[in-house]
Amino acid sequence: MALILGIESSCDETAAAVIDTDRRILSHKLAGQEAAHRPYGGVVPEIAARAHVEALEPLVAAALDEAGVTLDEIDAIAATAGPGLIGGVMVGLVTAKALALAADKPLIAVNHLEGHALSPRLADAKLQFPYLLLLVSGGHCQLLFVEGVGRYRRLATTIDDAAGEAYDKTAKLLGLGFPGGPAVEKAALEGDPKAVKLPRPLVGTPEPHFSFAGLKSAVLRARDAGIHRTEDIAASFQQAVVDCLIDRTRRAIGNAPGATALVVAGGVAANKTVRAALETLADENALPFFAPPLWLCTDNAAMIGWAGAERFLEGHSDPLDFAARPRWPLDPNAEKARGAGVKA
Ligand code: KG4
Ligand code: ZN
């Protein structure tokens, strides 16, 4: 059994956690930055980086303290090294390097997406490779065939916005505040998902790619029509997203023979309607369904520690000059999705 210190700072959450290779979460600490970004209606990179600098050191100390361990007792230090906002990633990675150097511990540079991708295995030891993963976050919307640690085959991606991004933009358009996902989910509870006719972009196309930009524009038109309740637009938007996710994932199941489970991870996986629809889809296809607990879906350091643990168990560590990577695809061989713009 080994103890791993995990550090996360790629977007707007500063986080530190201590976990062990037996899946015990000894501590997990999180400092959100919502208040700092709220006036701008989105994450401001420079504000984020400065907030990480202020929050990280005390958070690491608190995580070690709560776990009841010293830095000397830690076996490896795992930090997000990308993809993400470069300023924030550098704060976490440099801190991890300094701790690794000072305490003479191995450094593990973690791909944030791998943190999400493996998080369901931290939550549940029963989940084995290979599995079909729907990774839905603020920056990504991908279907991946997960063969093992570091072994990903991307089956599909978004050609424009990510699903979480669509939630955030819809929340902004509807004046529901920031962060958008939970706000839209809450408003949708009071609305009729059939009230507003919205498109289901790419549904039915042979390759299971995603597109959400047109949906966002349709939300804008529905709002400007001035005849719909905000709650009805929110519920109809959410239903459209769910329909897209389910249609695309259903198609990917056909392209992923050998998958032992259907798995969802990333911030949007915290959405109850999304989870329930995917669970039904898994049942229909006689696949076990795995989704991490809600707190483990959105950004946190326990999942970074766990990705580090999985790599540590394989004897992996990284050099102290490992450079932060603002872009870092899980499947470097994946071709660009047809119709995709320049975004990763
Ligand atoms: O994984 P995550 O914390 O950060 C990234 O790596 O992007 O995902 C954040 C995204 C945001 O777009 C947020 O609006 C969305 O996940 N999100 C949700 C919910 N909670 C967070 N979307 C829909 N419903 C939710 N309950
Ligand atoms: Zn994330």
Side-chain angles (χ1 to χ4, degrees), residues 114 117-118 128-135 142-157 208 249 252-263 287 330-332 334:
E114 180 158 75
L118 299 178
Q128 301 290 317
F129 300 120
Y131 53 86
L132 176 64
L133 171 71
L134 173 63
L135 201 170
Q142 305 188 341
L143 282 155
L144 294 150
F145 191 68
V146 183
E147 291 167 23
V149 179
R151 292 166 55 211
Y152 302 90
R153 195 151 51 80
R154 200 194 72 192
L155 304 174
T157 187
T249 306
I253 290 173
N255 296 348
T260 60
L262 176 62
V263 180
L287 285 169
L330 279 179
D331 177 359

Side-chain angles (χ1 to χ4, degrees), residues 19-114:
I19 59 124
D20 73 20
T21 46
D22 288 340
R23 294 183 165 78
R24 271 187 292 263
I25 299 166
L26 283 78
S27 65
H28 71 93
K29 294 282 184 194
L30 197 92
Q33 307 173 357
E34 281 93 356
H37 299 292
R38 190 165 289 128
Y40 308 94
V43 178
V44 183
E46 181 61 23
I47 293 176
R50 285 166 191 246
H52 288 307
V53 171
E54 276 175 29
L56 189 53
E57 269 187 57
L59 218 57
V60 168
L64 290 170
D65 196 43
E66 191 173 301
V69 297
T70 62
L71 189 56
D72 269 342
E73 292 169 285
I74 294 286
D75 294 290
I77 299 168
T80 297
L85 301 173
I86 187 73
V89 171
M90 282 172 66
V91 172
L93 186 58
V94 165
T95 303
K97 287 176 179 178
L99 293 172
L101 189 64
D104 194 20
K105 306 290 178 186
L107 169 78
I108 302 175
V110 172
N111 182 320
H112 178 86
L113 299 174
E114 180 158 75

Side-chain angles (χ1 to χ4, degrees), residues 8 10-11 13 83 112-113 115-116 135-140 266-267 297-300 303-304:
E8 159 61 29
S10 66
C11 191
E13 313 278 0
H112 178 86
L113 299 174
H116 282 301
L135 201 170
V136 266
S137 69
H140 295 83
C297 292
T298 43
D299 288 349
N300 65 85
M303 71 179 192
I304 302 303

Side-chain angles (χ1 to χ4, degrees), residues 146-339:
V146 183
E147 291 167 23
V149 179
R151 292 166 55 211
Y152 302 90
R153 195 151 51 80
R154 200 194 72 192
L155 304 174
T157 187
T158 178
I159 64 166
D160 41 57
D161 294 349
E165 197 178 354
Y167 265 95
D168 294 333
K169 287 177 175 171
T170 291
K172 205 170 177 178
L173 289 174
L174 298 180
L176 292 171
F178 173 84
V184 172
E185 178 172 27
K186 188 158 169 262
L189 285 174
E190 312 293 327
D192 173 4
K194 294 199 181 75
V196 187
K197 248 179 86 104
L198 295 173
R200 268 69 174 155
L202 293 189
V203 159
T205 56
E207 283 189 87
H209 293 311
F210 302 90
S211 167
F212 295 105
L215 185 52
K216 174 194 64 196
S217 314
V219 165
L220 176 63
R221 284 193 296 276
R223 182 200 71 179
D224 288 348
I227 49 171
H228 302 292
R229 290 169 63 231
T230 297
E231 291 80 1
D232 287 342
I233 302 178
S236 302
F237 161 80
Q238 179 159 277
Q239 190 58 52
V241 171
V242 167
D243 288 351
C244 293
L245 295 178
I246 295 302
D247 175 82
R248 312 287 61 207
T249 306
R250 181 182 289 118
R251 201 161 281 263
I253 290 173
N255 296 348
T260 60
L262 176 62
V263 180
V264 67
V268 181
N271 184 287
K272 297 202 183 63
T273 310
V274 169
R275 293 165 83 94
L278 285 165
E279 185 160 18
T280 305
L281 178 68
D283 281 352
E284 285 165 13
N285 288 276
L287 285 169
F289 176 66
F290 292 85
L294 302 192
W295 73 269
L296 205 50
C297 292
T298 43
D299 288 349
N300 65 85
M303 71 179 192
I304 302 303
W306 176 252
E310 296 240 37
R311 289 192 166 253
F312 183 80
L313 289 172
E314 297 196 341
H316 178 98
S317 69
D318 290 295
L320 286 180
D321 62 357
F322 193 102
R325 299 179 182 175
R327 281 168 189 236
W328 188 0
L330 279 179
D331 177 359
N333 299 318
E335 283 174 23
K336 220 169 163 188
R338 229 177 320 204

